[in-house]
mmCIF file of all heavy atoms in Angstrom:
data_model
loop_
_atom_site.group_PDB
_atom_site.id
_atom_site.type_symbol
_atom_site.label_atom_id
_atom_site.label_comp_id
_atom_site.label_asym_id
_atom_site.label_seq_id
_atom_site.Cartn_x
_atom_site.Cartn_y
_atom_site.Cartn_z
ATOM 1 N N LEU I 1 1.207 4.186 -7.873
ATOM 2 C CA LEU I 1 2.550 3.773 -7.474
ATOM 3 C C LEU I 1 2.554 3.285 -6.029
ATOM 4 O O LEU I 1 3.219 2.290 -5.707
ATOM 5 C CB LEU I 1 3.536 4.926 -7.645
ATOM 6 C CG LEU I 1 4.989 4.627 -7.242
ATOM 7 C CD1 LEU I 1 5.545 3.427 -8.000
ATOM 8 C CD2 LEU I 1 5.875 5.858 -7.478
ATOM 9 N N SER I 2 1.813 3.950 -5.153
ATOM 10 C CA SER I 2 1.735 3.520 -3.758
ATOM 11 C C SER I 2 1.184 2.110 -3.656
ATOM 12 O O SER I 2 1.700 1.280 -2.889
ATOM 13 C CB SER I 2 0.868 4.486 -2.949
ATOM 14 O OG SER I 2 1.433 5.776 -2.905
ATOM 15 N N LEU I 3 0.146 1.804 -4.426
ATOM 16 C CA LEU I 3 -0.423 0.463 -4.426
ATOM 17 C C LEU I 3 0.576 -0.568 -4.921
ATOM 18 O O LEU I 3 0.687 -1.676 -4.358
ATOM 19 C CB LEU I 3 -1.685 0.433 -5.292
ATOM 20 C CG LEU I 3 -2.903 1.161 -4.737
ATOM 21 C CD1 LEU I 3 -4.009 1.235 -5.799
ATOM 22 C CD2 LEU I 3 -3.427 0.494 -3.477
ATOM 23 N N GLU I 4 1.325 -0.223 -5.950
ATOM 24 C CA GLU I 4 2.324 -1.153 -6.482
ATOM 25 C C GLU I 4 3.450 -1.393 -5.476
ATOM 26 O O GLU I 4 3.951 -2.517 -5.348
ATOM 27 C CB GLU I 4 2.882 -0.611 -7.802
ATOM 28 C CG GLU I 4 1.861 -0.639 -8.938
ATOM 29 C CD GLU I 4 2.370 0.040 -10.202
ATOM 30 O OE1 GLU I 4 3.366 0.793 -10.116
ATOM 31 O OE2 GLU I 4 1.770 -0.171 -11.267
ATOM 32 N N ILE I 5 3.823 -0.347 -4.750
ATOM 33 C CA ILE I 5 4.866 -0.482 -3.728
ATOM 34 C C ILE I 5 4.383 -1.378 -2.593
ATOM 35 O O ILE I 5 5.109 -2.279 -2.134
ATOM 36 C CB ILE I 5 5.268 0.907 -3.188
ATOM 37 C CG1 ILE I 5 6.093 1.648 -4.243
ATOM 38 C CG2 ILE I 5 6.069 0.781 -1.891
ATOM 39 C CD1 ILE I 5 6.392 3.104 -3.884
ATOM 40 N N ILE I 6 3.164 -1.148 -2.120
ATOM 41 C CA ILE I 6 2.622 -1.968 -1.035
ATOM 42 C C ILE I 6 2.548 -3.432 -1.465
ATOM 43 O O ILE I 6 2.914 -4.343 -0.709
ATOM 44 C CB ILE I 6 1.231 -1.453 -0.617
ATOM 45 C CG1 ILE I 6 1.335 -0.052 -0.026
ATOM 46 C CG2 ILE I 6 0.585 -2.405 0.397
ATOM 47 C CD1 ILE I 6 -0.009 0.622 0.199
ATOM 48 N N LYS I 7 2.067 -3.671 -2.681
ATOM 49 C CA LYS I 7 1.948 -5.029 -3.190
ATOM 50 C C LYS I 7 3.312 -5.717 -3.257
ATOM 51 O O LYS I 7 3.469 -6.877 -2.845
ATOM 52 C CB LYS I 7 1.297 -5.017 -4.570
ATOM 53 C CG LYS I 7 0.986 -6.396 -5.132
ATOM 54 C CD LYS I 7 0.470 -6.320 -6.560
ATOM 55 C CE LYS I 7 -0.831 -5.539 -6.646
ATOM 56 N NZ LYS I 7 -1.372 -5.543 -8.045
ATOM 57 N N LYS I 8 4.302 -5.000 -3.735
ATOM 58 C CA LYS I 8 5.648 -5.574 -3.859
ATOM 59 C C LYS I 8 6.239 -5.893 -2.484
ATOM 60 O O LYS I 8 6.839 -6.955 -2.279
ATOM 61 C CB LYS I 8 6.571 -4.623 -4.620
ATOM 62 C CG LYS I 8 7.957 -5.185 -4.919
ATOM 63 C CD LYS I 8 8.788 -4.224 -5.737
ATOM 64 C CE LYS I 8 8.289 -4.122 -7.154
ATOM 65 N NZ LYS I 8 8.604 -5.366 -7.938
ATOM 66 N N LEU I 9 6.077 -4.997 -1.534
ATOM 67 C CA LEU I 9 6.578 -5.245 -0.187
ATOM 68 C C LEU I 9 5.863 -6.425 0.457
ATOM 69 O O LEU I 9 6.494 -7.296 1.071
ATOM 70 C CB LEU I 9 6.403 -3.985 0.675
ATOM 71 C CG LEU I 9 7.318 -2.804 0.323
ATOM 72 C CD1 LEU I 9 6.832 -1.538 1.020
ATOM 73 C CD2 LEU I 9 8.771 -3.100 0.711
ATOM 74 N N ASN I 10 4.550 -6.469 0.308
ATOM 75 C CA ASN I 10 3.775 -7.569 0.883
ATOM 76 C C ASN I 10 4.164 -8.915 0.284
ATOM 77 O O ASN I 10 4.250 -9.930 1.000
ATOM 78 C CB ASN I 10 2.287 -7.330 0.690
ATOM 79 C CG ASN I 10 1.694 -6.285 1.619
ATOM 80 O OD1 ASN I 10 0.551 -5.849 1.452
ATOM 81 N ND2 ASN I 10 2.447 -5.856 2.614
ATOM 82 N N LYS I 11 4.393 -8.946 -1.017
ATOM 83 C CA LYS I 11 4.783 -10.206 -1.661
ATOM 84 C C LYS I 11 6.147 -10.687 -1.189
ATOM 85 O O LYS I 11 6.466 -11.885 -1.315
ATOM 86 C CB LYS I 11 4.763 -10.041 -3.183
ATOM 87 C CG LYS I 11 3.358 -10.007 -3.760
ATOM 88 C CD LYS I 11 3.358 -9.982 -5.270
ATOM 89 C CE LYS I 11 1.923 -10.056 -5.797
ATOM 90 N NZ LYS I 11 1.866 -10.038 -7.286
ATOM 91 N N ASN I 12 6.927 -9.770 -0.636
ATOM 92 C CA ASN I 12 8.222 -10.132 -0.064
ATOM 93 C C ASN I 12 8.142 -10.336 1.445
ATOM 94 O O ASN I 12 9.162 -10.377 2.131
ATOM 95 C CB ASN I 12 9.258 -9.062 -0.396
ATOM 96 C CG ASN I 12 9.803 -9.179 -1.805
ATOM 97 O OD1 ASN I 12 10.733 -9.940 -2.066
ATOM 98 N ND2 ASN I 12 9.192 -8.459 -2.734
ATOM 99 N N GLY I 13 6.923 -10.460 1.948
ATOM 100 C CA GLY I 13 6.723 -10.743 3.360
ATOM 101 C C GLY I 13 6.940 -9.561 4.280
ATOM 102 O O GLY I 13 7.164 -9.739 5.481
ATOM 103 N N ILE I 14 6.859 -8.344 3.745
ATOM 104 C CA ILE I 14 7.105 -7.139 4.540
ATOM 105 C C ILE I 14 5.784 -6.420 4.796
ATOM 106 O O ILE I 14 5.056 -6.073 3.858
ATOM 107 C CB ILE I 14 8.088 -6.192 3.815
ATOM 108 C CG1 ILE I 14 9.430 -6.892 3.599
ATOM 109 C CG2 ILE I 14 8.268 -4.900 4.610
ATOM 110 C CD1 ILE I 14 10.395 -6.107 2.728
ATOM 111 N N LYS I 15 5.512 -6.184 6.064
ATOM 112 C CA LYS I 15 4.306 -5.459 6.462
ATOM 113 C C LYS I 15 4.444 -3.978 6.119
ATOM 114 O O LYS I 15 5.538 -3.408 6.167
ATOM 115 C CB LYS I 15 4.088 -5.630 7.966
ATOM 116 C CG LYS I 15 3.004 -4.776 8.570
ATOM 117 C CD LYS I 15 2.936 -4.992 10.071
ATOM 118 C CE LYS I 15 2.028 -3.981 10.739
ATOM 119 N NZ LYS I 15 1.893 -4.214 12.185
ATOM 120 N N VAL I 16 3.311 -3.333 5.823
ATOM 121 C CA VAL I 16 3.280 -1.909 5.467
ATOM 122 C C VAL I 16 2.302 -1.174 6.375
ATOM 123 O O VAL I 16 1.211 -1.670 6.675
ATOM 124 C CB VAL I 16 2.870 -1.716 3.996
ATOM 125 C CG1 VAL I 16 2.718 -0.232 3.657
ATOM 126 C CG2 VAL I 16 3.892 -2.371 3.068
ATOM 127 N N THR I 17 2.694 0.019 6.819
ATOM 128 C CA THR I 17 1.764 0.935 7.476
ATOM 129 C C THR I 17 1.676 2.188 6.608
ATOM 130 O O THR I 17 2.654 2.569 5.954
ATOM 131 C CB THR I 17 2.225 1.315 8.897
ATOM 132 O OG1 THR I 17 3.404 2.139 8.828
ATOM 133 C CG2 THR I 17 2.520 0.073 9.720
ATOM 134 N N THR I 18 0.506 2.804 6.592
ATOM 135 C CA THR I 18 0.312 4.007 5.774
ATOM 136 C C THR I 18 -0.398 5.082 6.585
ATOM 137 O O THR I 18 -1.092 4.789 7.558
ATOM 138 C CB THR I 18 -0.522 3.711 4.518
ATOM 139 O OG1 THR I 18 -1.836 3.298 4.912
ATOM 140 C CG2 THR I 18 0.117 2.623 3.664
ATOM 141 N N LEU I 19 -0.215 6.321 6.149
ATOM 142 C CA LEU I 19 -0.896 7.455 6.769
ATOM 143 C C LEU I 19 -1.234 8.459 5.676
ATOM 144 O O LEU I 19 -0.364 8.817 4.873
ATOM 145 C CB LEU I 19 -0.002 8.116 7.822
ATOM 146 C CG LEU I 19 -0.637 9.262 8.620
ATOM 147 C CD1 LEU I 19 -1.805 8.757 9.457
ATOM 148 C CD2 LEU I 19 0.401 9.926 9.519
ATOM 149 N N THR I 20 -2.477 8.919 5.651
ATOM 150 C CA THR I 20 -2.891 9.814 4.577
ATOM 151 C C THR I 20 -3.913 10.841 5.055
ATOM 152 O O THR I 20 -4.598 10.639 6.063
ATOM 153 C CB THR I 20 -3.497 9.005 3.407
ATOM 154 O OG1 THR I 20 -3.775 9.889 2.302
ATOM 155 C CG2 THR I 20 -4.790 8.318 3.800
ATOM 156 N N LYS I 21 -3.997 11.937 4.315
ATOM 157 C CA LYS I 21 -5.093 12.900 4.430
ATOM 158 C C LYS I 21 -5.950 12.834 3.173
ATOM 159 O O LYS I 21 -6.767 13.710 2.918
ATOM 160 C CB LYS I 21 -4.549 14.310 4.640
ATOM 161 C CG LYS I 21 -3.827 14.480 5.981
ATOM 162 C CD LYS I 21 -3.237 15.864 6.116
ATOM 163 C CE LYS I 21 -2.437 15.965 7.412
ATOM 164 N NZ LYS I 21 -1.739 17.259 7.543
ATOM 165 N N GLY I 22 -5.714 11.785 2.400
ATOM 166 C CA GLY I 22 -6.511 11.538 1.210
ATOM 167 C C GLY I 22 -7.529 10.443 1.474
ATOM 168 O O GLY I 22 -7.970 10.257 2.603
ATOM 169 N N LEU I 23 -7.870 9.702 0.419
ATOM 170 C CA LEU I 23 -8.867 8.636 0.518
ATOM 171 C C LEU I 23 -8.251 7.315 0.080
ATOM 172 O O LEU I 23 -7.459 7.277 -0.864
ATOM 173 C CB LEU I 23 -10.079 8.961 -0.357
ATOM 174 C CG LEU I 23 -10.767 10.299 -0.074
ATOM 175 C CD1 LEU I 23 -11.901 10.531 -1.088
ATOM 176 C CD2 LEU I 23 -11.301 10.363 1.347
ATOM 177 N N TYR I 24 -8.641 6.245 0.749
ATOM 178 C CA TYR I 24 -8.082 4.941 0.419
ATOM 179 C C TYR I 24 -8.827 4.304 -0.754
ATOM 180 O O TYR I 24 -10.062 4.282 -0.784
ATOM 181 C CB TYR I 24 -8.152 4.023 1.632
ATOM 182 C CG TYR I 24 -7.043 4.291 2.619
ATOM 183 C CD1 TYR I 24 -7.302 4.909 3.834
ATOM 184 C CD2 TYR I 24 -5.725 3.950 2.312
ATOM 185 C CE1 TYR I 24 -6.277 5.167 4.738
ATOM 186 C CE2 TYR I 24 -4.698 4.208 3.213
ATOM 187 C CZ TYR I 24 -4.974 4.813 4.417
ATOM 188 O OH TYR I 24 -3.951 5.080 5.300
ATOM 189 N N PRO I 25 -8.084 3.762 -1.724
ATOM 190 C CA PRO I 25 -8.711 3.123 -2.893
ATOM 191 C C PRO I 25 -9.248 1.735 -2.553
ATOM 192 O O PRO I 25 -8.754 1.044 -1.664
ATOM 193 C CB PRO I 25 -7.544 3.029 -3.889
ATOM 194 C CG PRO I 25 -6.323 2.959 -3.027
ATOM 195 C CD PRO I 25 -6.619 3.810 -1.825
ATOM 196 N N ASP I 26 -10.256 1.305 -3.287
ATOM 197 C CA ASP I 26 -10.892 0.002 -3.055
ATOM 198 C C ASP I 26 -9.943 -1.163 -3.307
ATOM 199 O O ASP I 26 -10.176 -2.270 -2.803
ATOM 200 C CB ASP I 26 -12.125 -0.138 -3.946
ATOM 201 C CG ASP I 26 -13.270 0.752 -3.486
ATOM 202 O OD1 ASP I 26 -13.263 1.179 -2.311
ATOM 203 O OD2 ASP I 26 -14.171 1.028 -4.299
ATOM 204 N N GLU I 27 -8.891 -0.937 -4.072
ATOM 205 C CA GLU I 27 -7.949 -2.021 -4.363
ATOM 206 C C GLU I 27 -7.387 -2.654 -3.090
ATOM 207 O O GLU I 27 -7.062 -3.840 -3.062
ATOM 208 C CB GLU I 27 -6.787 -1.498 -5.219
ATOM 209 C CG GLU I 27 -7.129 -1.277 -6.672
ATOM 210 C CD GLU I 27 -7.692 0.113 -6.940
ATOM 211 O OE1 GLU I 27 -8.184 0.750 -5.985
ATOM 212 O OE2 GLU I 27 -7.650 0.554 -8.104
ATOM 213 N N LEU I 28 -7.279 -1.872 -2.023
ATOM 214 C CA LEU I 28 -6.713 -2.387 -0.782
ATOM 215 C C LEU I 28 -7.607 -3.425 -0.110
ATOM 216 O O LEU I 28 -7.168 -4.136 0.804
ATOM 217 C CB LEU I 28 -6.435 -1.235 0.186
ATOM 218 C CG LEU I 28 -5.308 -0.285 -0.228
ATOM 219 C CD1 LEU I 28 -5.262 0.927 0.689
ATOM 220 C CD2 LEU I 28 -3.963 -1.009 -0.229
#
């Protein structure tokens, strides 16, 4: 869901910042 949200925001010209204690997926 996080990836889908980032993709949707980016497609609308909106920059995204993220912060995690997990691991980033290769999709990014």
Side-chain angles (χ1 to χ4, degrees):
L1 179 56
S2 297
L3 289 171
E4 291 174 344
I5 287 173
I6 295 170
K7 186 186 298 183
K8 186 177 289 288
L9 290 167
N10 285 169
K11 286 186 176 180
N12 281 276
I14 299 172
K15 171 183 170 177
V16 175
T17 69
T18 64
L19 184 64
T20 186
K21 294 177 184 175
L23 304 176
Y24 280 108
D26 288 340
E27 284 88 339
L28 292 171

